Amino acid sequence: MAHARKDVLDAVGPRLRELRRRRGLTLADLARQTGINESTLSRLEGGTRKPTLELLLPLSEVYAVPLDDLVGAPRTGDPRIHLRPVTQDGMTYVPLSRPGGIQAHKLLIPPRPGAEPETKTHEGFEWVYVLAGRLRLVLGDRSLVLKAGEAAEFDTHVPHWLGADGDRPVELLVLFGHQGERAHLRARTP
């Protein structure tokens, strides 16, 4: 039991460093946002400073994650996932799973009349399921339109783009791994 607790505490520093890097923050940026000095943040991420509630609370607020997720605490009690939408590039992602492993998001894409698709590539695979509206999916040199109830799965090494087809928003479920999360949500702000 004590060994397991030590393992959880030892993993806090690397988890904090990964959260900071994933959001593209420097230690100086984080220090300004939390009021915790850079040296303390560096020692906390390096594991030479023990995580305390006084240090973790402001970090939890900046990263917009529950303390349990911040420290990797074992799950107990309420199994519900508390939805915290993230807006990126005009699209709203609603996380439907906890961090780690495959990520499930509900995605709302507003119409963008006249917008040209800007394809992107990254590591991994994606799976999409259209809940409402019509999705325009560009894969390489192909353009497909999926309607409610249709799904697609693709290798994200292929240049791809997702958008609303027509003048109405599209609502879909998206599954992707960490690579996809970094690619789509890398500039998350709290």
Side-chain angles (χ1 to χ4, degrees):
M1 181 83 131
H3 188 278
R5 209 172 304 132
K6 181 182 178 339
D7 288 346
V8 168
L9 290 174
D10 287 347
V12 171
R15 185 175 290 109
L16 292 173
R17 180 178 291 118
E18 175 62 23
L19 282 167
R20 179 177 57 78
R21 288 182 177 163
R22 211 185 273 178
R23 284 161 176 77
L25 297 171
T26 64
L27 286 171
D29 296 331
L30 192 56
R32 277 191 296 279
Q33 291 182 35
T34 62
I36 302 168
N37 72 52
E38 287 181 58
S39 173
T40 301
L41 290 169
S42 177
R43 291 191 330 261
L44 187 60
E45 286 183 1
T48 58
R49 173 78 189 252
K50 293 237 187 269
T52 64
L53 194 56
E54 182 179 64
L55 296 172
L56 294 176
L57 279 174
L59 291 169
S60 175
E61 290 171 8
V62 166
Y63 294 139
V65 298
L67 277 173
D68 285 355
D69 289 349
L70 202 62
V71 299
R75 303 276 172 222
T76 59
D78 190 351
R80 289 178 292 184
I81 295 168
H82 302 282
L83 309 178
R84 289 189 176 87
V86 173
T87 300
Q88 180 71 25
D89 297 328
M91 296 183 270
T92 302
Y93 293 83
V94 181
L96 300 175
S97 59
R98 291 191 170 96
I102 299 295
Q103 299 294 296
H105 287 80
K106 179 177 175 182
L107 179 57
L108 303 166
I109 306 175
R112 294 185 194 162
E116 284 298 312
E118 291 183 34
T119 60
K120 295 184 179 177
T121 63
H122 55 85
E123 294 290 322
F125 285 84
E126 285 189 27
W127 176 88
V128 296
Y129 178 82
V130 180
L131 296 169
R134 293 166 46 101
L135 172 70
R136 180 172 173 210
L137 171 63
V138 175
L139 283 176
D141 59 357
R142 295 176 53 198
S143 181
L144 309 164
V145 175
L146 284 76
K147 59 185 187 288
E150 291 187 305
E153 181 178 37
F154 54 92
D155 182 336
T156 55
H157 289 101
V158 174
H160 60 282
W161 177 86
L162 305 172
D165 183 58
D167 60 354
R168 303 182 85 192
V170 63
E171 182 178 354
L172 54 144
L173 293 178
V174 181
L175 298 179
F176 46 71
H178 285 301
Q179 303 96 338
E181 182 182 33
R182 282 195 298 272
H184 294 287
L185 303 175
R186 67 182 168 277
R188 261 195 261 194
T189 55

